[in-house]
Amino acid sequence: MKSLKILDWPEKRFYGESHPFHRWKNEFLAHGLKVEFYTNHLDKRLADADYLLLHSRYFAGGWQHLQTRNAQNEAELISYLQKMNTQAGRLIWFDSADSSGSSDFPIIAYVDVFLKKQVLKDKKYYTAANQGRNLRLWLDLLPKNAKTVFEPCPANQIQKIKTGWNIGFNDYRFFGYKMSRLSNYLSYKVYPPRFSTVVKKRSLDLTFRGTIHQDQGQIKGISDQRNYMLALFTQLQLQIASGCNVSKSRYWKELRNSKIGLSPFGWGEICYRDFETFISGALLVKPLMNHLETFPNLYQENETYIPVSWDLLDLEEKLDHLITYYKAHQDIAAYGQEVYRKAIYDAESFVQQIEQGIGKI
């Protein structure tokens, strides 16, 4: 029996990215992997792990946050990685950043595997040959001053970059705030996700809750697509649920009552809205995703979602077409929901994906 020890992100240890490891601990055991969770990097029990997976956001109070990163906390992190690399059998860095780009390449030489939630199909974008590229690939369309440039991955380290798992495996069941800590322990058989049927009366044409942001400083254009959509809504003669944030229960009610769920890129390409839209039975419309490798791969153009261009110039025309011929596109919403439902109940595929990612021997 091998051990897979996870240094987790304490803030989101319930219902977050480690959720599927809690949920499927027995399935991992059946594959010869005992999963254990830790929230203190100095815990001595981490040293004898066969596989040690470090959630990057554990270090968000220092090096992993770009606004607090400095030479001192980088040196401290590298020293820690060097130490753990000599003690653990295999050291895995889980870059949990939202985008397909990465600001974590300065430490890639000190780990054995560099897992990401989503990886660019063209990995050459990450290398030193492409200095000056944007952390968020789609923002290359914006003026040069909107770029967040990342330190490139050394070419001799690029083979370490592997596709891990995305936030589609988070727990999207409805919990009140105080009940959320039950997430990792409450069986899906007892309390399953509540999927809404696609073919039902939906009085709203679309829903997108949010407000226009004025990008400043470190944000660097992440609100560009959001702002474009919100500005477009004022010109559309549609029934739209938009505006400031509302309660969780109202948000879900609106989405379950909508024909279309919009999900622009923001800090990254993949968003909670994607999976909430699948659950609600609405038709997912989002910018084209064919530049990514991710797991689960739910993004099949015009089969599970409707793609629009990164500049969104075709959005208005597509929305008009989809609303006019909504019934003809319900099969796409239904198939997207089916693919997602199958993925979140497929423990075997998840375990195999992790085994492949961590390089299980």
Side-chain angles (χ1 to χ4, degrees), residues 14 33 123 141 191 214 217 244 259 268 270 274 287 297 303:
F14 304 114
L33 276 175
K123 289 185 180 179
L141 298 174
Y191 186 42
Q214 298 299 319
C244 298
K259 298 180 178 72
I270 296 174
D274 302 355
N297 181 21
E303 294 185 15

Side-chain angles (χ1 to χ4, degrees), residues 127 182 209 262 347:
T127 66
L182 294 177
R209 284 286 173 181
L262 292 178

Side-chain angles (χ1 to χ4, degrees), residues 304-352:
T304 61
Y305 83 109
I306 299 294
V308 293
S309 62
W310 287 0
D311 58 17
L312 304 184
L313 295 181
D314 57 346
L315 178 60
E316 181 175 3
E317 180 181 353
K318 286 202 174 183
L319 289 178
D320 179 69
H321 176 80
L322 293 172
I323 296 301
T324 302
Y325 301 101
Y326 170 65
K327 288 187 176 181
H329 293 87
Q330 286 180 320
D331 59 328
I332 296 176
Y335 186 58
Q337 186 181 82
E338 177 187 344
V339 172
Y340 176 60
R341 190 201 308 260
K342 181 178 179 181
I344 65 168
Y345 280 97
D346 191 351
E348 184 67 19
S349 290
F350 182 82
V351 174
Q352 289 179 4

Side-chain angles (χ1 to χ4, degrees), residues 68 94 118 123-124 159 180 185 236 239 260 312 337 357:
T68 57
F94 175 51
Q118 52 276 321
K123 289 185 180 179
K124 292 180 181 178
Q159 77 282 355
S180 63
Y185 310 104
L236 301 178
Q239 295 297 315
I260 290 173
L312 304 184
Q337 186 181 82

Side-chain angles (χ1 to χ4, degrees), residues 89-319:
R90 197 163 180 81
L91 187 61
I92 300 123
W93 181 263
F94 175 51
D95 173 14
S96 64
D98 294 327
S99 80
S100 52
S102 179
S103 59
D104 291 1
F105 290 137
I107 57 89
I108 193 171
Y110 305 99
V111 299
D112 298 308
V113 179
F114 192 92
L115 283 184
K116 284 185 59 59
K117 294 189 289 190
Q118 52 276 321
V119 175
L120 292 174
K121 289 179 179 177
D122 181 10
K123 289 185 180 179
K124 292 180 181 178
Y125 190 92
Y126 295 132
T127 66
N130 291 315
Q131 292 189 36
R133 291 296 182 92
N134 206 319
L135 186 64
R136 297 171 181 88
L137 175 65
W138 64 95
L139 293 183
D140 279 339
L141 298 174
L142 297 182
K144 188 174 182 179
N145 61 8
K147 289 180 179 292
T148 303
V149 176
F150 62 87
E151 183 174 328
C153 176
N156 65 352
Q157 299 291 320
I158 200 167
Q159 77 282 355
K160 294 181 180 179
I161 302 174
K162 305 293 183 182
T163 303
W165 73 102
N166 64 43
I167 58 174
F169 289 108
N170 286 24
D171 192 348
Y172 293 95
R173 295 174 293 176
F174 188 90
F175 290 99
Y177 175 72
K178 292 183 179 180
M179 300 294 289
S180 63
R181 65 188 58 201
L182 294 177
S183 166
N184 293 336
Y185 310 104
L186 187 57
S187 168
Y188 277 57
K189 292 181 180 178
V190 175
Y191 186 42
R194 186 165 67 88
F195 287 88
S196 294
T197 181
V198 172
V199 182
K200 55 171 283 193
K201 184 177 180 180
R202 295 175 180 266
S203 59
L204 293 171
D205 291 317
L206 65 89
T207 181
F208 181 81
R209 284 286 173 181
T211 55
I212 291 179
H213 290 180
Q214 298 299 319
D215 286 341
Q216 296 177 356
Q218 74 276 17
I219 296 180
K220 305 290 187 184
I222 64 103
S223 298
D224 185 67
Q225 290 187 357
R226 169 204 291 259
N227 291 350
Y228 183 97
M229 287 184 176
L230 292 171
L232 179 62
F233 292 167
T234 63
Q235 305 172 35
L236 301 178
Q237 301 300 311
L238 299 175
Q239 295 297 315
I240 302 173
S242 187
C244 298
N245 293 338
V246 294
S247 68
K248 189 175 181 179
S249 59
R250 180 176 172 182
Y251 169 77
W252 275 106
K253 184 177 181 180
E254 289 175 348
L255 192 51
R256 294 182 192 278
N257 198 32
S258 296
K259 298 180 178 72
I260 290 173
L262 292 178
S263 185
F265 297 166
W267 292 107
E269 295 96 329
I270 296 174
C271 179
Y272 299 121
R273 287 189 183 93
D274 302 355
F275 315 108
E276 293 165 347
T277 299
F278 289 136
I279 292 170
S280 300
L283 177 61
L284 178 62
V285 176
K286 74 180 285 105
L288 186 63
M289 295 284 283
N290 66 356
H291 62 300
L292 291 181
E293 291 181 1
T294 191
F295 178 78
N297 181 21
L298 308 173
Y299 305 100
Q300 303 170 30
E301 299 156 39
N302 298 310
E303 294 185 15
T304 61
Y305 83 109
I306 299 294
V308 293
S309 62
W310 287 0
D311 58 17
L312 304 184
L313 295 181
D314 57 346
L315 178 60
E316 181 175 3
E317 180 181 353
K318 286 202 174 183
L319 289 178

